[in-house]
Amino acid sequence: MKNKRKDSLIYLIFLLGVLIFSIYSLNNVQSKGIDQNNDFIYRIASDVEPNNNFTQAYEVYNYDNWTGTFDEHGSDPCDYYKIYLQNSDILTIKLNIYPDFEFYFQVYNTTFQVIFHTSDYQDSSYEIDITANTTGYYYFSVSGYSTSYNFEVLRTNGSGGNPGEDELEPNDDFGSATPLTLDGDGNPIDQLTIDPAGEVDFYSIDLDQGDDINILLWNLPANYDLALFYPNQTLVSESTNTGTTDDEIDYENAEVSGAYYIRVSDSDYYAGVYNLRILLEEYTPPNNDFESAAPLTLDDDGKTTEQLTIDPAGEVDFYSIDLNQRDDIEILLWNLPANYDLALFYPNQTLVHESTNTGTTDDEIDYENAEISGTYYICVSDLDNYVGVYNLTIWLKSNISPNANFTVNSTIIDQGEWVFCTFIGALGDLPTEYLWNFGDGTVNITTQNSTHQYLSFGEFKITLIITDSDGETSTFVKTVIVRSSSRTSGYSSIFGLSLTVGFIYILFMFVKKERDGLRKKN
């Protein structure tokens, strides 16, 4: 009986010891260099055995935190891992080992060359920083006599960012689909991730009716599949190539406008990095009649519109361009593959002019001094029933209207004085003609500035009419008052008479005074 109690007590002490050791080990794993405030993903490396060489190396990702164990059956226990880095990425690895256990740690580049290793077996935690000098998979290995170890992985670039982190997550369903904005056709989207394994990624992109889109899913680490959905979330098309073969969807002539959805799914239950490339060709309406004419906007004279096409054979192409009254336009149809003809139409769609040179000879229309303002139409037609490419060059000379205006030295002068007129208006389309009329019956003057002497008095209108090369005219009138010279002569006569009378009076008073003086003396 006593022996049974003794055996039970020993067994109980043994279980208690195992429990204490397990708690102590767990605390060490969680306390050695693990920052609980970071969003690290905690994993068990024993789930990925065997990973004892480069071929079996298990892929890890940014913010991974692994607790690993060595394969006790191997003669040289060693675990291999790999991580995808972009050129200049900085890889930080914090390795934590239980006390009193030794380990050996090595890091390899994309060609399996050792770029770091511990100098000898270590028995404490270790941290390194490696800067990638090329893009690809880097490897590291942990070996030693410990049965368990722990490490953290952090990937940043030189400026402190995380180029390897998928900033478009979470996007796991239609409701959280990440909008894609394309800056240019074929712009690749790098470093997208399936993480955790088995997830799906959704993206959205706006299409207009008639648009074409090509989607390429490439650089695949496992069997990932591609699908495209209508705005109502029903399937348009999918690509389910096996293995790591690229998946591609080419969808032409979108049926409706709206936000379409792209889905990337993981069929191998494998976390990894992939790339997307999207080509978008926006729909261009046909221009086969006046109503669908393609508008042309000219930034400067002599603008060439290249790579225009007659397709299918026998079609016509219409273009529209806005002209103001009296504008000049020259149109050149050139680089012709067959007998194409050129025509210009008024805004009311009646013919202005056409050029029908035979064969591949250039066609040209030179239309000056447009009769009315409005939208004119250019038509290119195919007489040879031949599909081909042609060029258009258009020179546009906008009309400049003249504006007559001038100043005079004075609007009130005396008879016989001169008036000086200085032109300050706008000339219009050169050359410009000038016609001055001074309203007193004299000969007109045709210089830009003019002078004139008024020999008669009264109120006169000075009129300037200017005419530009298009025949456009502008008129400006200014009134001048000329005072009579007789008014000045009358004033002079009165002044002279007054002066004479005054002189006679003074002389008379002087003679009288002298005479009176002589009388008093006598």
Side-chain angles (χ1 to χ4, degrees):
M1 190 68 171
K2 290 182 179 181
N3 289 334
K4 288 184 177 180
R5 290 180 179 176
K6 183 178 179 180
D7 291 341
S8 298
L9 181 60
I10 292 173
Y11 183 68
L12 182 60
I13 292 172
F14 174 78
L15 291 178
L16 182 60
V18 172
L19 178 61
I20 292 172
F21 178 81
S22 300
I23 294 174
Y24 175 79
S25 299
L26 182 60
N27 287 336
N28 272 282
V29 171
Q30 294 181 342
S31 62
K32 291 291 183 178
I34 302 174
D35 185 356
Q36 297 294 333
N37 292 324
N38 285 336
D39 295 329
F40 284 95
I41 302 172
Y42 294 87
R43 307 180 188 276
I44 305 297
S46 58
D47 295 340
V48 300
E49 291 285 1
N51 59 334
N52 302 328
N53 52 49
F54 289 113
T55 304
Q56 297 173 334
Y58 192 78
E59 185 170 2
V60 297
Y61 301 95
N62 200 19
Y63 293 116
D64 269 358
N65 182 301
W66 284 85
T67 298
T69 57
F70 295 115
D71 182 2
E72 297 179 356
H73 302 290
S75 59
D76 184 16
C78 186
D79 287 341
Y80 283 79
Y81 300 91
K82 65 179 181 179
I83 184 169
Y84 191 84
L85 300 180
Q86 296 282 350
N87 186 24
S88 79
D89 281 1
I90 299 173
L91 174 64
T92 300
I93 303 175
K94 296 179 182 180
L95 186 62
N96 307 299
I97 299 294
Y98 301 139
D100 303 325
F101 292 122
E102 293 183 342
F103 69 95
Y104 190 66
F105 183 59
Q106 295 187 98
V107 181
Y108 311 84
N109 62 16
T110 57
T111 59
F112 311 111
Q113 302 295 316
V114 175
I115 57 177
F116 172 84
H117 64 85
T118 53
S119 58
D120 203 347
Y121 279 91
Q122 305 292 317
D123 60 1
S124 61
S125 298
Y126 210 87
E127 179 177 334
I128 66 161
D129 289 325
I130 296 294
T131 301
N133 58 11
T134 187
T135 298
Y137 280 104
Y138 285 69
Y139 298 81
F140 60 93
S141 64
V142 183
S143 60
Y145 304 102
S146 170
T147 58
S148 298
Y149 57 89
N150 170 267
F151 66 83
E152 297 171 1
V153 175
L154 179 64
R155 176 176 51 190
T156 60
N157 62 21
S159 60
N162 285 302
E165 182 179 0
D166 187 352
E167 298 178 353
L168 304 183
E169 293 282 2
N171 56 340
D172 301 330
D173 52 34
F174 289 107
S176 61
T178 302
L180 297 180
T181 301
L182 300 183
D183 298 327
D185 287 344
N187 190 23
I189 306 170
D190 297 327
Q191 291 301 306
L192 303 172
T193 60
I194 291 291
D195 190 11
E199 77 153 352
V200 292
D201 288 342
F202 280 84
Y203 307 93
S204 66
I205 187 168
D206 291 331
L207 299 181
D208 291 325
Q209 187 176 15
D211 284 352
D212 298 338
I213 187 171
N214 176 270
I215 310 165
L216 179 65
L217 175 65
W218 59 290
N219 189 30
L220 303 181
N223 186 12
Y224 292 178
D225 291 332
L226 179 66
L228 178 67
F229 295 85
Y230 290 107
N232 65 1
Q233 301 177 12
T234 59
L235 184 66
V236 176
S237 179
E238 61 182 336
S239 175
T240 57
N241 293 331
T242 58
T244 59
T245 304
D246 296 346
D247 284 293
E248 185 175 9
I249 292 176
D250 193 9
Y251 176 49
E252 298 181 351
N253 197 16
E255 298 177 40
V256 295
S257 299
Y260 285 68
Y261 298 92
I262 300 167
R263 185 190 68 191
V264 178
S265 55
D266 169 21
S267 298
D268 276 355
Y269 202 77
Y270 186 93
V273 177
Y274 64 89
N275 290 352
L276 274 178
R277 188 202 68 193
I278 298 176
L279 293 168
L280 178 63
E281 183 176 344
E282 296 183 351
Y283 171 69
T284 302
N287 58 334
N288 301 328
D289 52 33
F290 289 107
E291 285 69 27
S292 62
L296 297 179
T297 303
L298 299 185
D299 298 326
D300 50 25
D301 288 345
K303 180 176 180 181
T304 300
T305 306
E306 299 178 342
Q307 296 300 308
L308 303 171
T309 59
I310 291 292
D311 189 11
E315 77 157 352
V316 291
D317 287 342
F318 279 83
Y319 306 93
S320 64
I321 187 168
D322 291 331
L323 300 181
N324 292 318
Q325 189 176 19
R326 299 184 183 278
D327 282 352
D328 299 337
I329 187 172
E330 182 181 355
I331 310 165
L332 179 64
L333 175 65
W334 58 287
N335 189 30
L336 303 180
N339 186 12
Y340 293 177
D341 288 340
L342 179 66
L344 178 66
F345 294 85
Y346 290 108
N348 65 1
Q349 301 176 10
T350 58
L351 184 66
V352 176
H353 189 68
E354 62 181 338
S355 175
T356 57
N357 293 331
T358 59
T360 58
T361 304
D362 296 345
D363 284 294
E364 185 175 7
I365 292 176
D366 191 3
Y367 176 48
E368 297 182 352
N369 201 10
E371 299 176 40
I372 58 173
S373 298
T375 300
Y376 286 69
Y377 299 93
I378 300 168
C379 176
V380 178
S381 55
D382 168 25
L383 297 185
D384 277 355
N385 202 35
Y386 188 91
V387 173
V389 177
Y390 63 89
N391 290 353
L392 273 178
T393 300
I394 299 176
W395 291 267
L396 176 63
K397 182 181 178 183
S398 298
N399 176 60
I400 303 175
S401 298
N403 180 30
N405 197 358
F406 63 89
T407 61
V408 294
N409 59 319
S410 177
T411 56
I412 300 177
I413 61 174
D414 291 325
Q415 187 177 355
E417 290 185 340
W418 291 80
V419 64
F420 300 91
C421 303
T422 303
F423 178 77
I424 60 171
L427 298 180
D429 295 312
L430 298 177
T432 301
E433 296 178 355
Y434 307 87
L435 186 64
W436 296 90
N437 184 287
F438 294 93
D440 59 353
T442 57
V443 177
N444 295 332
I445 297 177
T446 58
T447 57
Q448 186 179 61
N449 302 311
S450 64
T451 60
H452 183 69
Q453 182 184 27
Y454 281 96
L455 300 178
S456 56
F457 66 90
E459 183 176 294
F460 301 93
K461 292 185 182 299
I462 302 176
T463 302
L464 170 63
I465 301 174
I466 61 175
T467 305
D468 70 3
S469 60
D470 289 339
E472 228 177 332
T473 63
S474 178
T475 302
F476 186 77
V477 178
K478 193 180 286 286
T479 300
V480 174
I481 297 175
V482 181
R483 295 177 295 198
S484 172
S485 59
S486 62
R487 177 178 64 103
T488 305
S489 300
Y491 288 155
S492 299
S493 299
I494 293 172
F495 178 76
L497 179 61
S498 299
L499 185 62
T500 302
V501 171
F503 178 77
I504 294 173
Y505 176 76
I506 292 172
L507 181 62
F508 173 77
M509 293 300 295
F510 176 77
V511 172
K512 181 181 178 183
K513 184 176 180 181
E514 289 294 322
R515 187 184 61 182
D516 291 344
L518 290 174
R519 286 177 179 176
K520 289 181 180 180
K521 289 180 179 180
N522 295 330

